[in-house]
Amino acid sequence: MSVQPSTHVIDDIQEVLISKEQIEAKVAEMGGIISREYEGRDLLLVCILKGALVFMSDLMRCISIPLSIDTMAVTSYGASTVSSGVVKIIKDLDVPIEGRHVLIVEDIVDTGLTLNYLVSALKNRKPASVKICTLLDKPDRRKAPVTPDYNGFVIPDKFVVGYGLDYREKYRNLPFVGVPKDYVWNEEH
Ligand code: 5GP
């Protein structure tokens, strides 16, 4: 029997791990902390596409100090859920970062391989500082020594979707973070 595509993305979710309300409260709190810590500094938020898009757009509106934004795209998992360990910049920053305070905004730290590479690549460009802000942290799977400077939620070793995070480009538009139902892994694409 073939599996019919769901009408609503929420129908494919087995468990809501972090609710919309929990995310809203946490992002507001993080924005407040960042506003205080970066006051008087030239802050550049770097959104790692595409997963951090939703987080970044909410976070920046919770930061009250002047800032600029830029985006980067890197390969990490490809279409699979297992990290290849290979990191490649697909879209680089549009602006130089020398002397600026760079805050990388990422959806999740898993193995840490992506951020480990990115932080050292950006440090080579002589910014005043490079820090990491993530919504989610999955410390159980860490392979590289990465600790986010700002993190929203520590989560268990489960593959999650929603609030910008995808599975095969789907589920980014869910307003919460959740775990897909088992049949999702077996759907044909
Ligand atoms: P890392 O290099 O830390 O292993 O992987 C970071 C990237 O892998 C994240 O930016 C994200 O795109 C992807 N990733 C890691 N864990 C998950 C997960 O549970 N769900 C989704 N959708 N992506 C994940």
Side-chain angles (χ1 to χ4, degrees):
M1 198 182 81
S2 70
V3 181
Q4 295 299 312
S6 308
T7 311
H8 302 288
V9 275
I10 196 168
D11 298 337
D12 290 347
I13 299 304
Q14 174 188 306
E15 179 196 358
V16 175
L17 217 60
I18 308 164
S19 70
K20 183 173 179 273
E21 292 73 24
Q22 283 174 297
I23 296 174
E24 264 170 22
K26 184 59 79 176
V27 172
E29 184 191 322
M30 294 171 87
I33 295 169
I34 292 166
S35 303
R36 283 192 293 280
E37 294 192 1
Y38 282 89
E39 201 180 325
R41 295 189 194 166
D42 180 14
L43 174 60
L44 176 69
L45 297 182
V46 172
C47 175
I48 308 304
L49 299 172
K50 301 174 213 170
L53 203 69
V54 179
F55 177 40
M56 170 91 158
S57 74
D58 282 345
L59 179 71
M60 64 191 274
R61 285 176 286 176
C62 293
I63 299 177
S64 56
I65 58 168
L67 58 80
S68 318
I69 64 167
D70 206 341
T71 60
M72 272 184 113
V74 295
T75 52
S76 49
Y77 280 16
S80 155
T81 57
V82 182
S83 178
S84 60
V86 179
V87 180
K88 193 172 136 201
I89 296 176
I90 303 166
K91 189 241 163 239
D92 207 339
L93 296 173
D94 297 328
V95 294
I97 56 169
E98 189 169 345
R100 309 192 67 185
H101 291 277
V102 175
L103 183 58
I104 301 173
V105 180
E106 177 62 302
D107 50 2
I108 184 166
V109 203
D110 185 18
T111 63
L113 292 168
T114 308
L115 281 172
N116 195 43
Y117 171 83
L118 264 182
V119 168
S120 59
L122 294 183
K123 276 187 177 164
N124 284 338
R125 303 179 193 184
K126 304 193 170 32
S129 68
V130 181
K131 287 193 176 181
I132 298 168
C133 177
T134 55
L135 179 73
L136 306 171
D137 187 2
K138 242 195 254 182
D140 294 349
R141 284 175 35 93
R142 203 70 98 249
K143 287 185 188 157
V146 170
T147 308
D149 300 279
Y150 308 94
N151 178 58
F153 304 90
V154 173
I155 62 164
D157 181 10
K158 291 183 178 180
F159 191 84
V160 294
V161 295
Y163 199 71
L165 290 110
D166 75 310
Y167 175 62
R168 295 187 169 178
E169 293 301 324
K170 233 170 135 184
Y171 309 112
R172 294 192 197 276
N173 53 326
L174 284 168
F176 54 80
V177 171
V179 181
K181 289 179 181 164
D182 285 342
Y183 67 72
V184 165
W185 315 122
N186 304 322
E187 273 183 9
E188 285 187 22
H189 299 271

